[in-house]
């Protein structure tokens, strides 16, 4: 989330009449504003970020050209109508290296699906709390909401040399 989006939120919430004009569930927190407003195509607050960003293939290519590892972060957070179908399509189009399987809001079913998805395609797995400081309610460094219990063993089979061979 970029600086200007937070500024928009902070300015809009200063004025009570904005909440009356737009009776969406976006005012409780910046996270709600971002997810239910700015990134929701059905919201009057929607900003089409796709117009300003390069295609995913180009992004992954740049990551690889710079000896980086391309992961898809928290796929169930993107609110696709069919996340599993999206993952299949993305995998077939883009040379991803890994997928985030452990995330603070994922159910056990979602985590297990992603673990199977990664294993079947020989992808690296990761996890994280998505902690970005105190701006997220009930979000704590390293554990997110609750206790993620991400084992450090998930990186034990990373072949880092494969990714950093250009150095």
């Amino acid at each position: 989330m970029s600086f200007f989006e937070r500024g928009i939120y902070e300015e809009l919430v200063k004025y009570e009449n904005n909440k009356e004009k737009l009776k969406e569930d976006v005012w409780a927190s910046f996270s709600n504003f971002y997810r239910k407003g700015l990134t929701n195509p059905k919201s009057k607050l929607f900003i089409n970020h796709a117009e300003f960003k390069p295609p995913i293939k180009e992004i992954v290519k740049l990551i690889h050209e710079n000896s980086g590892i391309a992961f898809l972060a928290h796929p169930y957070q993107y609110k696709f109508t069919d996340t599993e179908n999206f993952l299949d399509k993305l995998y077939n189009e883009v040379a991803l290296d890994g997928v985030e399987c452990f995330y603070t809001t994922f159910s056990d079913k979602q985590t297990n699906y992603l673990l199977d998805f990664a294993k079947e395609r020989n992808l690296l797995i990761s996890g994280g709390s998505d902690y970005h400081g105190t701006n997220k309610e009930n979000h704590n460094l390293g554990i997110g909401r609750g206790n993620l219990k991400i084992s450090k063993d998930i990186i034990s089979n990373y072949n880092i040399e494969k990714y950093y061979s250009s150095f």
Side-chain angles (χ1 to χ4, degrees):
M1 293 177 244
S2 71
F3 175 76
F4 85 90
E5 291 158 335
R6 181 168 291 284
I8 292 170
Y9 171 73
E10 289 174 359
E11 189 63 28
L12 288 174
V13 296
K14 284 182 187 178
Y15 306 98
E16 214 42 52
N17 62 337
N18 286 333
K19 295 176 185 176
E20 295 167 12
K21 290 178 183 176
L22 186 63
K23 298 186 186 278
E24 295 183 34
D25 183 25
V26 297
W27 305 111
S29 66
F30 176 70
S31 181
N32 274 16
F33 178 75
Y34 183 81
R35 296 215 185 268
K36 296 180 178 183
L38 297 181
T39 60
N40 177 1
K42 295 178 182 173
S43 171
K44 293 177 184 176
L45 297 169
F46 176 65
I47 297 174
N48 187 354
H49 287 91
E51 295 176 11
F52 310 107
K53 294 182 181 172
I56 188 79
K57 279 186 176 182
E58 188 177 328
I59 293 168
V60 171
K61 182 180 178 216
L62 283 169
I63 291 169
H64 289 151
E65 286 174 352
N66 289 281
S67 300
I69 303 171
F71 273 82
L72 177 63
H74 41 271
Y76 286 103
Q77 286 298 104
Y78 302 119
K79 311 290 187 223
F80 296 114
T81 53
D82 186 347
T83 299
E84 291 82 7
N85 186 44
F86 167 78
L87 285 167
D88 285 332
K89 184 177 177 186
L90 183 65
Y91 176 79
N92 291 325
E93 293 178 11
V94 179
L96 285 177
D97 301 304
V99 63
E100 184 174 30
C101 299
F102 299 97
Y103 185 72
T104 189
T105 62
F106 287 177
S107 67
D108 289 343
K109 181 179 177 183
Q110 290 171 326
T111 296
N112 288 330
Y113 179 85
L114 292 170
L115 288 168
D116 290 342
F117 178 86
K119 184 177 181 180
E120 289 169 6
R121 291 157 182 83
N122 199 30
L123 295 173
L124 301 172
I125 61 173
S126 71
S129 64
D130 206 15
Y131 182 78
H132 290 260
T134 57
N135 59 323
K136 287 187 176 184
E137 296 177 27
N138 303 318
H139 234 87
N140 298 301
L141 181 62
I143 60 171
R145 294 183 192 146
N147 188 355
L148 283 173
K149 298 180 184 171
I150 302 170
S151 171
K152 64 182 177 183
D153 294 339
I154 66 172
I155 63 168
S156 64
N157 64 353
Y158 281 22
N159 181 2
I160 299 303
E161 290 79 27
K162 170 184 171 184
Y163 300 99
Y164 293 101
S165 60
S166 63
F167 286 122

